[in-house]
Amino acid sequence: SSRPRLLLLLPLGCFAMLLPPPGAAEFSPSLDSDFTFTLPAGRKECFYQPMRKEASLELEYQVLDGAGLDVDFHLLSPKGETLVFDERKSDGVHTVETEDGDYMFCFDNTFSTISEKVIFFELILDNMGEEGEDQEDWKKYVTGTDLLDMKLEDILESINSVKARLSKSVQIQTLLRAFEARDRNIQESNFDRVNFWSMVNLGVMVVVSAVQVYMLKSLFEDKRKSRT
C-alpha cells in the first residue's frame, strides 16, 4: 500500500491562528515525512500536523542555506500553548507527547530583511495506530497451526523490528543528506568569498605597483631637471 504523502500548508498571515482557514491543505498522518522549502526574507510560514492522543511527534529541522543559517521556530499545541520556541537557531530536534488535535509549527524569517532561507524538516510520528491495523491484516491471512513452528506474535515482532530498523536507516540517510547539502552550501559561499577578496587583493597590488613605478620615475625626472 502507498504511504501518505507530506503536503505543504498555505502560509499564515497571523501567528495567533490555530485552526487552518477553509480550504487550506494540511499534513496527512504518516510515520515518517520530510520536506525542504525556501522561506523568503521577512516572511513566516506555518504547518499543521493532526495527532492522536498518547502518540509521539518528533520534529527535526535544519537551515541548509541563507545568511547566518538561522531561523525562529515555534511549536504550538492544539490549545494554542507554546510548547517550543527556538530563537535564531540553525537546527533543532524536539519530541512531544501529543493529544488529539492539530499541532502547528512555524518557521519565522521576519528578522531578516534581505536573505531568504532554505529549510529542511522531518516529522517522525509514533503510536499513530497504523501498526495495530497492519497486525490485524496479518491475522486475516494466518490460519491453522503455527507457521514453521513460530507463533504469529514472533513473526510480527521480527517484521516490526526489521521495519523499525529500516525506518531508522532511512531517517539517518536523510539527515546525512541534509548535513551534506548545508556543508556544500557553506563551502560554495566560502569559495565565492575567497575568489572575491583575491580579486580585490590583486587589484590593490596592481594599483600599488603602478603608483610605486610612477613615484620612482617622477623622482628621477626631478633630479635631471635640477642638474640642467
Side-chain angles (χ1 to χ4, degrees):
S1 58
S2 60
R3 191 175 64 179
R5 299 180 62 186
L6 189 66
L7 300 178
L8 173 63
L9 288 183
L10 298 176
L12 298 181
C14 177
F15 180 73
M17 292 180 63
L18 178 60
L19 295 178
E26 65 180 16
F27 290 104
S28 59
S30 61
L31 292 179
D32 189 355
S33 303
D34 57 83
F35 192 70
T36 302
F37 70 101
T38 299
L39 180 60
R43 292 281 299 277
K44 176 176 67 176
E45 291 196 11
C46 296
F47 307 85
Y48 287 94
Q49 173 59 53
M51 295 299 297
R52 299 181 180 181
K53 186 177 181 181
E54 296 181 354
S56 174
L57 168 63
E58 180 180 346
L59 190 149
E60 176 166 351
Y61 68 91
Q62 297 179 37
V63 182
L64 302 182
D65 196 14
L69 294 177
D70 55 357
V71 72
D72 290 345
F73 173 77
H74 307 262
L75 176 61
L76 274 71
S77 70
K79 298 178 181 179
E81 301 172 346
T82 300
L83 302 178
V84 177
F85 172 62
D86 290 343
E87 185 175 6
R88 305 194 65 168
K89 295 290 187 64
S90 61
D91 55 72
V93 181
H94 303 287
T95 303
V96 294
E97 301 299 323
T98 63
E99 57 189 23
D100 289 329
D102 295 333
Y103 283 75
M104 182 173 73
F105 54 97
C106 300
F107 299 94
D108 190 347
N109 194 32
T110 55
F111 60 83
S112 178
T113 57
I114 300 177
S115 176
E116 65 181 16
K117 306 294 173 62
V118 178
I119 300 174
F120 162 84
F121 66 88
E122 182 179 21
L123 291 175
I124 301 174
L125 313 180
D126 291 328
N127 300 325
M128 293 296 288
E130 295 183 357
E131 292 186 359
E133 297 175 0
D134 293 341
Q135 292 179 5
E136 294 297 327
D137 293 339
W138 272 96
K139 293 179 181 179
K140 295 178 182 179
Y141 297 101
V142 178
T143 57
T145 59
D146 297 340
L147 179 62
L148 299 177
D149 296 329
M150 294 180 63
K151 295 181 180 179
L152 174 61
E153 289 77 8
D154 296 333
I155 299 175
L156 293 177
E157 183 179 355
S158 300
I159 294 176
N160 289 332
S161 177
V162 173
K163 179 181 178 182
R165 294 182 180 181
L166 288 175
S167 299
K168 190 64 176 180
S169 299
V170 172
Q171 177 192 356
I172 294 175
Q173 291 177 356
T174 302
L175 295 179
L176 290 177
R177 286 197 299 268
F179 279 118
E180 188 272 337
R182 183 172 67 177
D183 293 341
R184 184 176 63 251
N185 291 329
I186 293 175
Q187 293 299 326
E188 290 177 353
S189 177
N190 292 338
F191 177 76
D192 294 337
R193 188 178 296 111
V194 169
N195 283 340
F196 172 77
W197 287 110
S198 296
M199 294 301 297
V200 170
N201 187 36
L202 179 60
V204 171
M205 291 176 62
V206 171
V207 172
V208 171
S209 299
V211 171
Q212 289 178 344
V213 171
Y214 174 78
M215 294 296 295
L216 289 174
K217 289 178 64 177
S218 63
L219 289 176
F220 286 107
E221 288 178 359
D222 291 341
K223 289 183 178 179
R224 294 194 194 101
K225 292 180 181 179
S226 62
R227 290 177 183 177
T228 57

